Amino acid sequence: MTILTRSNWMLYGAYGSTGRLILDEALRRGHRPVLAGRDSAQLSALGQATGLSTLPLPLDDGAALRAALSRVSGVLLAAGPYQLTGQPMRAACLDVGCSYLDVNGEIGDFSAALACDAQARTAGIAIIAGVGYGVAFAECLAAQLALRLPDATWLRLSLATQTGARSRGAQLSTAATIAAGGREIYQGSLRKRALAFSTWSAPGADAPRMRFAAAPLAELLAVQRSTGIPNIVAGIPLSRATAALMRIAGPLLGKLLTRQAARASNTAVASPSAAAIAVLRSRVWAEAGNATGERVAAMLETGEGYHAAAAAAVRALELQLLEPRVGALTPVQAFGASFALLVPGTSIQEL
């Protein structure tokens, strides 16, 4: 990859918890992105620390946003919640011909990103949402199962993510997702359900003794788009008691969490030590079956969730700059079923 492509992109939200990890990974791999965001003071400090160009850039200043994006080949959006940031950034990218990537896991905005396919193809750009940990890694694992069982009629994902800290943007995104209620893919379409409408245990004798409950994750849309499997559910660790509570009070809890997260500081959260991060492992289990009762299962394992997301996001950006894709694509559609394995320390085990 040339020096030009390594500097010809923008990282928006570089001073947030996730954005800073992406920046660290990008610098380690020789990139020199333009750093942008709303907070001029935090950008200035980050620019002084890294020697990179900075650009205070509120998303509601459409003219300035389009002028800035017209000077780069791509933008990686690391500022959430994406229900607020995704649409204005994508609209500007479509107007000026700048490819768009994000680490979004919000099902509503992820759906909106996928709906931009015709516009993206007309503009000659890529819209690739979810290139971070959750969507990209779970979708890759599901795609591997689909290759083993091409006639699968159902698939279930179980995500157990270990993180060293939790960013304000992630808290806002989670709260908004909970408030919107549950989802599943049923007969090829996204269907609204109660939160935690189903619970289960992960497959495989080595799986931890934990219960999972259905959650409205963007992984549902990504997997359905890339595999065509008609019935899909995805879940996170929840006890039976907590799942029962979520079925009753989930939307109210989401609203309370939204208010709580909105009052939290927007500064980057102090990261645990490297030694503490190194021992954290995130895992995704997937199982699928067909109409005759045949089943397949596998587990993906990687490191701490935010660091894995940062590594995946930078590699996705590199692949897009090296060989531009066009259209609104899922990570697997853009980069293939083995994309997650590009992240060091990531492996897939058949069960």
Side-chain angles (χ1 to χ4, degrees):
M1 192 174 298
T2 66
I3 298 293
L4 175 63
T5 58
R6 285 189 177 272
S7 61
N8 193 28
W9 61 282
M10 176 189 293
L11 175 58
Y12 192 96
Y15 47 76
S17 299
T18 303
R20 187 54 196 263
L21 290 174
I22 292 172
L23 176 56
D24 290 344
E25 177 71 7
L27 291 172
R28 188 182 69 81
R29 293 180 65 82
H31 292 270
R32 306 288 294 175
V34 176
L35 308 181
R38 293 180 300 174
D39 193 316
S40 59
Q42 292 198 68
L43 279 174
S44 178
L46 198 54
Q48 292 177 11
T50 61
L52 297 177
S53 299
T54 62
L55 186 61
L57 193 62
L59 291 177
D60 57 6
D61 187 342
L65 181 60
R66 283 160 175 77
L69 292 173
S70 69
R71 297 192 290 269
V72 295
S73 297
V75 60
L76 178 52
L77 179 60
Y82 288 93
Q83 63 171 342
L84 300 179
T85 62
Q87 189 279 329
M89 182 64 83
R90 288 192 298 272
C93 286
L94 289 165
D95 284 347
V96 302
C98 174
S99 286
Y100 166 99
L101 295 86
D102 69 30
V103 290
N104 181 11
E106 300 171 30
I107 194 166
D109 189 69
F110 191 88
S111 177
L114 290 181
C116 293
D117 186 58
Q119 295 167 278
R121 293 184 185 280
T122 298
I125 67 168
I127 301 287
I128 310 173
V131 297
Y133 162 72
V135 173
F137 285 57
E139 187 193 9
C140 285
L141 182 62
Q144 299 279 351
L145 284 195
L147 292 173
R148 292 169 56 194
L149 192 64
D151 60 346
T153 56
W154 63 267
L155 183 138
R156 186 162 60 193
L157 292 166
S158 309
L159 293 90
T161 308
Q162 292 192 339
T163 59
R166 191 157 180 80
S167 71
R168 177 177 177 269
Q171 290 172 347
L172 285 166
S173 295
T174 299
T177 297
I178 291 174
R183 298 289 190 279
E184 68 173 338
I185 298 292
Y186 177 73
Q187 295 183 355
S189 298
L190 187 66
R191 182 170 74 163
K192 189 169 184 177
R193 297 290 303 272
L195 283 167
F197 65 87
S198 176
T199 64
W200 62 86
S201 296
D206 295 330
R209 292 184 176 275
M210 66 173 72
R211 298 288 297 179
F212 291 82
L217 305 179
E219 286 85 335
L220 293 167
L221 292 173
V223 171
Q224 203 283 325
R225 169 75 82 91
S226 60
T227 69
I229 295 174
N231 301 291
I232 306 168
V233 65
I236 58 175
L238 281 181
S239 67
R240 281 193 176 94
T242 303
L245 177 63
M246 292 296 288
R247 285 194 288 273
I248 299 169
L252 175 61
L253 178 60
K255 294 176 183 177
L256 293 174
L257 290 174
T258 298
R259 288 198 287 269
Q260 182 182 46
R263 292 193 297 266
S265 170
N266 196 35
T267 56
V269 179
S271 177
S273 67
I277 290 292
V279 300
L280 297 178
R281 305 300 295 169
S282 297
R283 296 177 177 88
V284 183
W285 290 268
E287 53 187 320
N290 62 15
T292 66
E294 186 179 1
R295 293 191 178 204
V296 292
M299 180 191 74
L300 180 148
E301 181 172 332
T302 190
E304 192 269 346
Y306 285 118
H307 285 76
V314 173
R315 282 156 180 79
L317 190 283
E318 290 174 347
L319 291 171
Q320 174 61 25
L321 292 177
L322 184 63
E323 186 177 336
R325 281 74 169 164
V326 174
L329 308 168
T330 70
V332 164
Q333 287 181 313
F335 309 120
S338 297
F339 168 65
L341 297 176
L342 297 177
V343 175
T346 302
S347 62
I348 291 177
Q349 175 187 354
E350 294 185 2
L351 300 176

